[in-house]
Amino acid sequence: LEGKKLCFGNGYLAVGNKLIELLSGNTVLDSVLSSKAALAAEHNTEIVFKGYFPAHGIENSDVCTVAANLLDNAVEASARAGGNNTVSVSAAVNNETLVFAVTNETDSVQPVSSELMTTKADKVNHGFGLKNVRKTASAYGGYADIEADENRFTVTVVMNMKYREAALADGS
């Protein structure tokens, strides 16, 4: 980052003179958050995490698929919106069900449908992120829900942590 100093360690990320605590409960998610916080800082966007994401129950690769895709989309949309923006990330567990949500500010919202289209010029090589998030959520007996209004966009992913475990045990 040009003009910005990054320092990782002890559950914190320092961007410039700002210290960001990243202790979600899941080291893989913390790594994704750290990486995306650095990207967000380049676009005058801050990532704020609240909640708890368990260390077990969701495969590490699936944590990456969901978090990285949603955060990439959120940071890109916030950058297009201009100004100083915040991407809010939350996670909670209730009765073996994980609820993970990412909310960002946006300058325009596509009509919400089952298949949102990429805003990137290269439509052949882009536009798979939300599809992959939905596929991953489905593997856990869950879903991804999208809500949008004129200046905010939220994706909420619900995953049953025992569902995939049971499916794998059954050979499904």
Side-chain angles (χ1 to χ4, degrees):
L1 292 171
E2 199 170 306
K4 300 197 191 277
K5 182 179 178 187
L6 297 178
C7 179
F8 298 88
N10 298 330
Y12 290 89
L13 167 67
V15 180
N17 62 355
K18 192 170 199 173
L19 194 62
I20 303 166
E21 183 176 13
L22 298 172
L23 295 172
S24 67
N26 183 298
T27 56
V28 173
L29 179 60
D30 285 348
S31 294
V32 173
L33 287 167
S34 294
S35 167
K36 301 309 176 184
L39 173 67
E42 293 177 8
H43 300 287
N44 297 317
T45 297
E46 177 181 29
I47 294 176
V48 176
F49 176 83
K50 292 184 181 179
Y52 171 73
F53 196 110
H56 303 288
I58 306 292
E59 293 292 323
N60 289 341
S61 60
D62 295 333
V63 173
C64 286
T65 296
V66 171
N69 279 300
L70 293 182
L71 288 168
D72 280 342
N73 291 348
V75 169
E76 288 172 19
S78 291
R80 283 192 309 272
N84 294 322
N85 295 310
T86 300
V87 172
S88 299
V89 181
S90 63
V93 176
N94 185 11
N95 295 328
E96 303 299 330
T97 299
L98 172 69
V99 179
F100 182 75
V102 176
T103 300
N104 60 275
E105 296 161 45
T106 184
D107 61 346
S108 65
V109 174
Q110 297 180 35
V112 176
S113 67
S114 61
E115 292 300 322
L116 289 174
M117 301 299 292
T118 184
T119 58
K120 294 186 175 86
D122 182 1
K123 303 211 183 303
V124 172
N125 294 307
H126 294 281
F128 302 103
L130 277 175
K131 290 177 189 172
N132 287 335
V133 168
R134 284 187 166 126
K135 182 178 176 183
T136 301
S138 180
Y140 289 85
Y143 59 90
D145 181 57
I146 299 169
E147 293 180 33
D149 64 28
E150 60 204 37
N151 62 357
R152 293 188 96 42
F153 189 87
T154 301
V155 179
T156 303
V157 180
V158 177
M159 302 166 78
N160 182 326
M161 297 185 305
K162 294 293 183 187
Y163 183 88
R164 182 161 170 90
E165 188 177 291
L168 291 174
D170 289 345
S172 304

